[in-house]
Amino acid sequence: MKVAAPVLETEVKGKRLINAHFGKSSLFAVVDTDSNAVEIVENPGLHVQRGRGIYIAQMFKEKGVEAVLVKEMGPGAFDKIRNSLGIKVYLVPEEVKFLDEALELFKKGELPELTEPNEEEHR
């Protein structure tokens, strides 16, 4: 299964940090949970002021992403990713800072699925 998460360029002791800001994240990690292969890809929507979710959703579709791990996601991205493409969205707890920790919780089935956006729309 392929899982994606917004990540920061910064690493701490070789561990990738999760970016709390989904649409504004410059990078996403796309992880194959079977092989543990990690691909870091640029956010294809950074060039637009609004509507980044459309570009991100398209990239996820092309990469075969089936689940997204986030700390927050606004209504636009949520609609494109979950409602339009059927990609499941899971909430990473505030205290979880690293991608590997979030993936471990996901694999154990310990992340709650988001059924609605948990961030307000940006104006």
Side-chain angles (χ1 to χ4, degrees):
M1 169 184 263
K2 288 197 176 175
V3 177
V7 293
L8 297 172
E9 290 182 32
T10 308
E11 291 184 18
V12 176
K13 297 182 182 177
K15 293 169 74 173
R16 189 67 72 165
L17 290 159
I18 297 249
N19 190 338
H21 304 287
F22 179 81
K24 293 181 181 177
S25 181
S26 60
L27 299 173
F28 288 91
V30 177
V31 182
D32 184 320
T33 59
D34 297 326
S35 68
N36 290 321
V38 179
E39 178 185 7
I40 303 297
V41 294
E42 290 187 7
N43 181 343
L46 278 182
H47 65 283
V48 297
Q49 190 68 12
R50 294 184 48 81
R52 291 184 186 112
I54 294 168
Y55 296 94
I56 298 167
Q58 183 60 38
M59 184 261 295
F60 286 169
K61 182 179 177 183
E62 290 169 6
K63 298 278 183 191
V65 171
E66 297 176 63
V68 180
L69 312 182
V70 300
K71 291 192 178 247
E72 58 185 38
M73 185 182 280
F78 189 84
D79 182 59
K80 306 297 180 289
I81 291 167
R82 185 177 186 272
N83 297 337
S84 295
L85 294 179
I87 296 172
K88 294 188 181 227
V89 180
Y90 294 89
L91 182 63
V92 176
E94 184 77 25
E95 65 274 8
V96 174
K97 305 293 182 208
F98 297 102
L99 176 62
D100 62 341
E101 292 174 79
L103 286 167
E104 193 60 37
L105 290 171
F106 173 76
K107 288 177 184 177
K108 290 179 181 177
E110 295 179 5
L111 294 181
E113 185 176 349
L114 276 181
T115 56
E116 59 186 32
N118 66 339
E119 179 186 41
E120 291 186 26
E121 188 170 2
H122 298 289
R123 301 258 177 233

